[in-house]
Amino acid sequence: AQLSYFLYILAREKGALLYAHIGVRAFVTALAPVIVYFILDGKPDALSIISVIYYTELVLNLVFSLFDKELRLFSVGLFLFALCDLSIGLKNLSDYFAFAGGLSRFFKTTKLNFAWIFYLPSQVLISLSLVRWKSLFKKS
Protein backbone atom coordinates (compact mmCIF):
# COMPACT_ATOMS: atom_id res chain seq x y z
CA ALA A 1 0.00 0.00 0.00
CA GLN A 2 2.74 2.45 0.93
CA LEU A 3 4.56 1.83 -2.34
CA SER A 4 1.34 2.63 -4.23
CA TYR A 5 0.86 5.83 -2.22
CA PHE A 6 4.48 6.77 -2.86
CA LEU A 7 4.04 6.36 -6.63
CA TYR A 8 0.76 8.32 -6.52
CA ILE A 9 2.42 11.24 -4.71
CA LEU A 10 5.58 11.06 -6.83
CA ALA A 11 3.60 11.19 -10.09
CA ARG A 12 2.19 14.57 -9.03
CA GLU A 13 5.57 16.15 -8.26
CA LYS A 14 7.85 18.14 -10.55
CA GLY A 15 11.28 19.70 -10.53
CA ALA A 16 13.35 20.00 -7.37
CA LEU A 17 10.64 18.50 -5.14
CA LEU A 18 10.63 15.34 -7.25
CA TYR A 19 14.40 14.85 -6.86
CA ALA A 20 14.34 15.82 -3.17
CA HIS A 21 11.57 13.33 -2.57
CA ILE A 22 13.47 10.47 -4.17
CA GLY A 23 16.74 11.38 -2.42
CA VAL A 24 15.22 11.83 1.03
CA ARG A 25 13.18 8.64 0.72
CA ALA A 26 16.17 6.57 -0.40
CA PHE A 27 18.36 7.92 2.41
CA VAL A 28 15.81 7.59 5.22
CA THR A 29 14.62 4.15 4.09
CA ALA A 30 18.21 2.89 3.98
CA LEU A 31 18.96 4.42 7.39
CA ALA A 32 15.91 2.95 9.18
CA PRO A 33 17.15 -0.67 9.42
CA VAL A 34 20.56 0.54 10.60
CA ILE A 35 18.91 2.46 13.44
CA VAL A 36 16.83 -0.61 14.37
CA TYR A 37 20.00 -2.69 14.41
CA PHE A 38 21.64 -0.39 16.96
CA ILE A 39 18.53 0.15 19.09
CA LEU A 40 18.03 -3.61 19.41
CA ASP A 41 21.71 -4.18 20.27
CA GLY A 42 22.55 -5.88 17.00
CA LYS A 43 19.75 -8.43 17.33
CA PRO A 44 16.86 -7.18 15.22
CA ASP A 45 14.32 -9.67 13.94
CA ALA A 46 12.69 -9.55 10.52
CA LEU A 47 9.43 -8.17 11.93
CA SER A 48 11.14 -5.20 13.59
CA ILE A 49 13.04 -4.30 10.42
CA ILE A 50 10.02 -4.67 8.13
CA SER A 51 7.82 -2.73 10.56
CA VAL A 52 10.23 0.18 10.80
CA ILE A 53 10.70 0.35 7.04
CA TYR A 54 6.92 0.21 6.53
CA TYR A 55 6.24 2.93 9.11
CA THR A 56 9.04 5.06 7.69
CA GLU A 57 7.41 4.82 4.27
CA LEU A 58 4.03 5.77 5.75
CA VAL A 59 5.47 8.83 7.51
CA LEU A 60 7.35 9.88 4.37
CA ASN A 61 4.14 9.55 2.34
CA LEU A 62 2.37 11.74 4.87
CA VAL A 63 5.12 14.37 4.85
CA PHE A 64 5.40 14.57 1.07
CA SER A 65 1.63 14.58 0.57
CA LEU A 66 1.54 17.78 2.65
CA PHE A 67 3.43 19.61 -0.12
CA ASP A 68 0.46 19.25 -2.49
CA LYS A 69 -2.58 21.35 -1.53
CA GLU A 70 -4.84 19.08 -3.57
CA LEU A 71 -3.88 16.12 -1.36
CA ARG A 72 -5.13 17.57 1.93
CA LEU A 73 -7.84 14.93 2.41
CA PHE A 74 -5.34 12.24 1.44
CA SER A 75 -2.89 13.67 4.01
CA VAL A 76 -5.49 13.54 6.78
CA GLY A 77 -6.23 9.94 5.81
CA LEU A 78 -2.53 9.07 5.97
CA PHE A 79 -2.25 10.79 9.36
CA LEU A 80 -5.08 8.66 10.74
CA PHE A 81 -3.49 5.59 9.15
CA ALA A 82 -0.23 6.44 10.96
CA LEU A 83 -2.14 6.73 14.26
CA CYS A 84 -3.70 3.32 13.62
CA ASP A 85 -0.33 1.71 13.06
CA LEU A 86 1.20 3.60 15.98
CA SER A 87 -1.45 2.20 18.32
CA ILE A 88 -0.61 -1.32 17.11
CA GLY A 89 3.09 -0.64 17.63
CA LEU A 90 2.52 0.67 21.15
CA LYS A 91 0.45 -2.39 21.94
CA ASN A 92 3.40 -4.62 21.05
CA LEU A 93 6.24 -2.41 22.27
CA SER A 94 6.81 -4.46 25.43
CA ASP A 95 7.88 -7.37 23.23
CA TYR A 96 11.04 -5.35 22.51
CA PHE A 97 11.48 -3.01 25.49
CA ALA A 98 10.87 -3.84 29.15
CA PHE A 99 10.37 -0.15 30.05
CA ALA A 100 7.28 -0.04 27.80
CA GLY A 101 5.32 -2.52 29.92
CA GLY A 102 2.76 -0.07 31.32
CA LEU A 103 2.07 1.67 28.03
CA SER A 104 1.91 -1.61 26.17
CA ARG A 105 -0.34 -3.11 28.84
CA PHE A 106 -2.72 -0.14 28.51
CA PHE A 107 -3.12 -0.71 24.78
CA LYS A 108 -3.51 -4.47 25.27
CA THR A 109 -6.15 -4.24 28.01
CA THR A 110 -8.22 -1.18 27.12
CA LYS A 111 -11.73 -1.78 25.82
CA LEU A 112 -11.13 0.77 23.07
CA ASN A 113 -9.75 -0.62 19.86
CA PHE A 114 -7.57 2.33 18.85
CA ALA A 115 -6.46 0.64 15.66
CA TRP A 116 -10.03 0.48 14.34
CA ILE A 117 -10.90 3.93 15.66
CA PHE A 118 -8.24 5.34 13.35
CA TYR A 119 -8.21 2.72 10.58
CA LEU A 120 -11.76 3.00 9.28
CA PRO A 121 -11.81 6.80 8.89
CA SER A 122 -8.30 6.71 7.40
CA GLN A 123 -9.37 4.37 4.63
CA VAL A 124 -12.57 6.31 3.94
CA LEU A 125 -10.64 9.59 3.66
CA ILE A 126 -7.92 8.07 1.47
CA SER A 127 -10.61 6.68 -0.84
CA LEU A 128 -12.62 9.90 -0.88
CA SER A 129 -9.49 11.88 -1.70
CA LEU A 130 -9.50 10.25 -5.13
CA VAL A 131 -12.97 11.58 -5.95
CA ARG A 132 -12.98 14.66 -8.15
CA TRP A 133 -15.66 16.61 -6.28
CA LYS A 134 -15.99 19.46 -8.78
CA SER A 135 -16.84 17.08 -11.60
CA LEU A 136 -19.47 15.33 -9.45
CA PHE A 137 -21.51 18.47 -8.95
CA LYS A 138 -20.99 19.96 -12.39
CA LYS A 139 -24.18 20.67 -14.29
CA SER A 140 -24.53 18.77 -17.55
Side-chain angles (χ1 to χ4, degrees), residues 9-10 33 52 72 107:
I9 296 164
L10 193 68
V52 168
R72 296 242 166 113
F107 278 93

Side-chain angles (χ1 to χ4, degrees), residues 5 8-9 65 71-79 125-126 129:
Y5 297 152
Y8 173 65
I9 296 164
S65 71
L71 294 180
R72 296 242 166 113
L73 198 58
F74 184 72
S75 298
V76 173
L78 287 177
F79 177 71
L125 291 177
I126 289 170
S129 73

Side-chain angles (χ1 to χ4, degrees), residues 1-11 13 16-33 52-67 71 74 78:
Q2 297 312 318
L3 177 60
S4 297
Y5 297 152
F6 159 60
L7 294 173
Y8 173 65
I9 296 164
L10 193 68
E13 294 174 348
L17 183 60
L18 175 72
Y19 296 110
H21 185 161
I22 293 170
V24 167
R25 186 173 293 266
F27 177 75
V28 173
T29 301
L31 187 61
V52 168
I53 290 172
Y54 166 81
Y55 202 75
T56 299
E57 294 299 318
L58 174 55
V59 170
L60 287 169
N61 284 335
L62 171 59
V63 168
F64 281 101
S65 71
L66 293 170
F67 287 100
L71 294 180
F74 184 72
L78 287 177

Side-chain angles (χ1 to χ4, degrees), residues 25-39:
R25 186 173 293 266
F27 177 75
V28 173
T29 301
L31 187 61
V34 174
I35 293 171
V36 171
Y37 180 83
F38 285 110
I39 289 174

